[in-house]
Amino acid sequence: MIDQVDEFNSYRQKMNDKILGENNKVLKRIFNLDTNAFAEGALDKRTKELLGLVASLVLRCDDCVKYHLESSFKEGLKRDEVMETLSIGTLIGGTIVIPHLRRAFEYWDALEEANTEK
């Protein structure tokens, strides 16, 4: 499962570099806004990542879910905190998000496995 984490991050980085290499002001500003929105502020980064995770699950964006899972992991959030957050997202999003919930659980397991083997 570690390959899943590496594969996602490699692809994301490659494509972000390609997109930002186009020198498109609008896209650069969107990327910058996203980065700054999740910076420490009135809400701490951990809370913002959990909010991003819920929104991503409800919107059924697997890449977004993976991104926020990994960011949550890096912020030191524990499995039970993340799983409780995913349960709220599933409650709000309804049963249609269950396939995304499955993939979220799988990706969190891959993050834990990757961290154990390092």
Side-chain angles (χ1 to χ4, degrees), residues 13-25:
Q13 186 65 56
K14 178 180 101 177
M15 293 311 298
N16 284 353
D17 290 345
K18 190 171 193 160
I19 291 165
L20 293 172
E22 288 295 316
N23 204 26
N24 180 300
K25 189 188 301 185

Side-chain angles (χ1 to χ4, degrees), residues 57-60 62 89-103:
L57 187 64
V58 171
L59 292 170
R60 302 185 302 264
D62 285 336
T90 304
L91 173 67
I92 301 301
T95 57
I96 197 165
V97 304
I98 290 174
H100 305 276
L101 175 67
R102 290 181 189 121
R103 289 187 286 274

